[in-house]
C-alpha cells in the first residue's frame, strides 16, 4: 500500500463505522493484513472528496444495505470484495468534487485546530490546579473542617430532576444517558442544591467528586454522599482542590478494594481526616478566580467544537447526496 491509497476494513464494526475506510497520508508506503481491501481512486475522482465521502451517512447506509443480515445482527458489516467493488455511487463532476473536498478540508482543519486549543486549555487548567492548590502554602486543614454532610431527601416521586455525578461532572440523566435510568419511584432520593459537593463513595478514587454549579436543585441516588462547604472557604477553590491529582491519591489511600476493580469502599471517617494546606480567604478567591476563568474559556471552546462537528455532519449529509 502506497501514500494516497485507501484501505477498507471489510469486517469493521457497525458501531464505529467512521473507521471503515482510511487514506494513507503519514507514510510513503506500508503493509496491512489481508483482511483489508486496498485501492486507489481513478483519475476522474478527487481523493479528498473520497476521504469525506467515506465518512458520510450516505456511504455508511449504503454499506449497511449490502451487508448480510447475519453480519448486521452480530455488529459486523462483513462485505465481500466483489460486492464492495460492485456497489453503485453517484459522484459529481471532478470540478464539483474538488470544491466540496476543499470546503470540507477547511472545516476539518478548523476542527483539528479547535481540538488543539481545548487540549492546551485542559493542560493549563491542570497545571494551575497542581501549582496553586497542591503546595504547602497555608494552614493544614482537615476535610472534616471544610465539608459538612447534608442529608435532605425527596418526599415524592419525580419531585426534582434526576442527576448523575460522573468523573467528568454532573449531568441530568436524560442528558447523559438519553433516558432516565433511575428507579420507577425515586421518592427518598437525596436532594442536591447549587453549591453542594457530591461524590460516589465507590468511585471517589477515580475522581467522581463534583461541585454543583450547574443545577439549582435536583435529586441523586441515595448511594451518593452530599456535603456543603463551610463558611470561611472559597467554594471554587475547594471545588478545584477536591479534583487535583494529590486529592485523588489521598482518596485511593482511604478506599479499599470492593467487588470489582473500579469499585472501592470508602472509609468516610478517614476521608474526613485527609488534610490540605489552605491559604487565606483572599488567596483562595484569587486562585479560584484564575482557574475559573480558564474553565469558562474551556467550556466556550468545547461548545464551539460541538458546533463545528454539527456543521461538518450537516455538510456531509447535504453535500454528499
Amino acid at each position: 500500500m502506497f501514500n494516497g491509497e485507501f484501505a477498507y476494513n471489510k469486517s469493521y464494526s457497525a458501531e464505529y463505522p467512521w473507521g471503515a475506510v482510511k487514506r494513507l497520508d503519514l507514510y510513503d508506503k506500508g503493509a496491512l493484513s489481508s483482511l483489508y481491501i486496498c485501492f486507489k481512486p481513478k483519475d476522474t475522482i478527487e481523493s479528498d472528496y473520497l476521504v469525506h465521502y467515506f465518512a458520510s451517512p450516505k456511504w455508511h447506509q449504503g454499506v449497511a444495505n449490502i451487508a448480510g443480515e447475519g453480519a448486521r445482527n452480530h455488529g459486523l458489516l462483513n462485505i465481500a470484495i466483489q460486492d464492495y467493488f460492485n456497489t453503485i455511487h453517484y459522484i459529481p463532476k471532478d470540478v464539483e468534487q474538488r470544491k466540496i473536498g476543499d470546503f470540507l478540508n477547511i472545516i476539518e482543519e478548523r476542527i483539528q485546530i479547535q481540538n488543539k486549543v481545548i487540549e492546551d486549555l485542559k493542560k493549563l487548567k491542570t497545571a494551575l490546579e497542581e501549582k496553586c492548590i497542591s503546595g504547602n502554602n497555608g494552614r493544614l486543614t482537615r476535610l472534616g473542617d471544610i465539608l459538612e454532610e447534608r442529608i435532605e431527601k425527596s418526599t415524592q416521586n419525580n419531585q426534582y430532576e434526576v442527576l448523575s455525578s460522573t468523573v467528568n461532572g454532573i449531568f441530568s440523566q436524560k442528558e447523559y444517558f438519553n433516558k432516565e435510568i433511575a428507579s420507577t419511584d425515586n421518592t427518598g432520593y437525596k436532594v442536591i442544591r447549587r453549591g453542594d459537593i457530591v461524590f460516589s463513595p465507590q468511585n471517589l478514587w477515580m475522581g467522581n467528586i463534583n461541585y454543583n454549579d450547574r443545577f439549582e436543585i435536583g435529586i441523586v441516588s441515595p448511594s451518593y454522599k452530599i456535603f456543603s462547604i463551610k463558611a470561611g472557604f472559597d467554594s471554587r477553590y475547594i471545588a478545584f482542590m477536591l479534583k487535583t491529582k494529590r486529592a485523588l491519591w489521598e482518596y485511593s489511600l482511604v478506599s479499599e478494594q470492593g467487588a470489582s476493580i473500579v469499585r472501592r469502599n470508602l472509609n468516610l471517617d478517614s476521608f474526613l481526616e485527609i488534610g490540605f494546606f489552605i491559604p487565606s480567604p483572599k488567596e483562595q478567591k484569587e486562585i479560584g478566580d484564575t482557574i475559573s476563568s480558564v474553565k469558562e474559556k474551556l467550556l466556550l471552546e468545547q461548545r464551539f467544537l460541538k458546533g463545528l462537528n454539527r456543521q461538518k455532519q450537516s455538510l456531509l449529509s447535504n453535500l454528499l447526496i
Side-chain angles (χ1 to χ4, degrees), residues 14-25:
E15 187 177 357
Y16 304 103
W18 50 86
V21 185
K22 292 294 183 181
R23 184 177 64 185
L24 180 61
D25 291 326

Side-chain angles (χ1 to χ4, degrees), residues 76-207:
L76 295 176
L77 301 184
N78 195 348
I79 312 299
I81 295 177
Q82 193 60 40
D83 290 338
Y84 177 78
F85 284 110
N86 283 337
T87 56
I88 298 175
H89 308 274
Y90 297 93
I91 305 296
K93 294 180 179 180
D94 55 356
V95 174
E96 189 174 353
Q97 291 177 44
R98 192 175 303 115
K99 289 180 179 179
I100 292 173
D102 290 345
F103 184 54
L104 289 171
N105 282 345
I106 292 172
I107 299 295
E108 184 61 36
E109 288 172 8
R110 187 63 186 87
I111 288 174
Q112 292 177 9
I113 292 172
Q114 192 63 20
N115 278 318
K116 181 65 167 57
V117 169
I118 289 172
E119 187 62 30
D120 288 344
L121 283 171
K122 286 181 178 179
K123 290 178 180 178
L124 175 60
K125 179 175 174 288
T126 299
L128 287 172
E129 289 172 346
E130 298 303 323
K131 180 178 180 180
C132 299
I133 295 178
S134 296
N136 296 330
N137 179 34
R139 181 169 58 90
L140 186 62
T141 308
R142 300 166 51 253
L143 280 182
D145 295 324
I146 300 172
L147 304 176
E148 182 174 7
E149 188 170 10
R150 203 179 64 75
I151 301 177
E152 177 186 2
K153 296 185 178 180
S154 61
T155 57
Q156 60 187 55
N157 191 37
N158 295 326
Q159 187 173 358
Y160 304 112
E161 184 175 14
V162 181
L163 308 177
S164 286
S165 176
T166 74
V167 172
N168 297 316
I170 301 175
F171 303 90
S172 70
Q173 283 198 351
K174 290 180 180 178
E175 173 188 12
Y176 195 71
F177 298 102
N178 293 320
K179 62 180 180 178
E180 287 194 358
I181 60 171
S183 304
T184 304
D185 184 1
N186 50 50
T187 304
Y189 269 43
K190 289 184 178 178
V191 176
I192 178 173
R193 298 181 180 274
R194 184 180 291 274
D196 282 344
I197 297 291
V198 58
F199 65 80
S200 163
Q202 290 77 34
N203 303 115
L204 174 63
W205 68 281
M206 299 177 65

